[in-house]
Amino acid sequence: MPVERLLKDDATEEKGERARMASFVGAMAIADLVKTTLGPKGMDKILQSTGRGRNITVTNDGATILKSLHIDNPAAKVLVDISKVQDDEVGDGTTSVVVLAGELLREAEKLVSMKIHPMTIIAGYRMAVECARDALLRKAMDNKQDSEKFRSDLMNIAMTTLSSKILSQDKEYFARLAVDAVLRLKGSTNLEAIQILKKPGGSLGDSFLDEGFILDKKIGIGQPKRIENANILVANTAMDTDKVKIYGARVRVDSMSKVAEIEAAEKQKMREKVQKIIAHGINCFINRQLIYNFPEELFADAGILAIEHADFEGIERLALVTGGEIA
């Protein structure tokens, strides 16, 4: 009985020495590709997409180049993943990581060809990592105590990072924005606390860091636009039942006046709900859901600022900032 064929017709199989060679070659090809973008004489790459529209990108940012490549060599894929992780964790040094890994593989290939076992080579690399880390720790400086020095260190780091990015013309301006934002976290590493709002139009120089918390929403009609010493109620409640909305149920009435009565009852229910909300002594009501015109009107009469449709992330963050709870 013939053995079922596992591989498809166009599959290729590589074993032992050849498979190892293919891994080395693929990884080195990736390293050589991004290597030329480094340094003062670094060149840009022109990337053309294979999809419809044939978009063309010109860039010298290693992460962008590697993200755009279609690769089927497993070792090369690992290098691309290294650059992605570096970009997510540190935000810089994507190309350098790939070039370093590529060079390590290039040296490893020479050792493998001398018949040294890969595990022995890896053990050697692990020892080298320890040495390198110790050397770096000995050289490290910490200016945390001196706030001026600490700030200038952060500025230098930020400017170095931005010099290879799109913002390189305004790097000082954006470095200051980034440093101010990070210093405001007072040592916390939770970057979720920094909210970035993107607005189309305007120039890069229009970007600014604002004090406090911004909720990018419109205020209801006829309500106060500015409040000092606000008492805020952050809520996730339905404020849209002042019109008859009956789902999946049948109501039989014998005249239009009965419909009007139901509507009046709905309105009354809404009015009571709004009065309960106002009774808390608030002057700012922020709701995750819709607020219909009638309750909006009632809030306006009471001089309360009401915001509807504040996204879930918005109200979560607002509750965090104000130390309140979502009602």
Side-chain angles (χ1 to χ4, degrees), residues 88-113:
D88 295 342
E89 289 287 323
V90 188
D92 197 33
T94 45
T95 314
S96 321
V97 162
V98 174
V99 172
L100 178 65
E103 288 308 309
L104 287 173
L105 280 168
R106 199 178 303 253
E107 295 304 312
E109 191 211 353
K110 293 176 191 165
L111 296 172
V112 168
S113 62

Side-chain angles (χ1 to χ4, degrees), residues 163-220:
S163 52
S164 68
K165 303 286 185 277
I166 308 163
L167 303 168
S168 49
Q169 278 74 33
D170 302 295
K171 66 179 174 192
E172 198 164 304
Y173 183 72
F174 279 96
R176 191 170 300 115
L177 276 188
V179 171
D180 285 348
V182 168
L183 283 176
R184 221 175 261 181
L185 295 179
K186 306 224 175 8
S188 146
T189 52
N190 178 18
L191 294 180
E192 292 283 307
I194 301 175
Q195 186 183 16
I196 298 171
L197 296 172
K198 297 171 184 162
K199 288 282 179 197
S203 66
L204 285 175
D206 293 344
S207 311
F208 64 93
L209 177 70
D210 207 9
E211 291 280 337
F213 170 87
I214 298 178
L215 187 65
D216 186 19
K217 296 288 166 194
K218 289 195 178 68
I219 294 169

Side-chain angles (χ1 to χ4, degrees), residues 121-138:
I121 300 171
I122 292 167
Y125 277 165
R126 292 228 164 97
M127 286 156 72
V129 165
E130 290 300 314
C131 292
R133 189 180 285 135
D134 290 344
L136 285 172
L137 286 174
R138 280 202 301 277

Side-chain angles (χ1 to χ4, degrees), residues 286-322:
I286 293 173
N287 192 19
R288 177 165 181 237
Q289 302 180 31
L290 267 174
I291 300 180
Y292 266 6
N293 304 354
F294 178 60
E296 194 177 86
E297 214 176 283
L298 295 176
F299 283 128
D301 292 344
I304 290 177
L305 181 160
I307 294 177
E308 63 177 3
H309 264 325
D311 322 309
F312 197 64
E313 206 177 79
I315 62 170
E316 290 266 284
R317 198 174 261 153
L318 182 60
L320 260 177
V321 172
T322 53

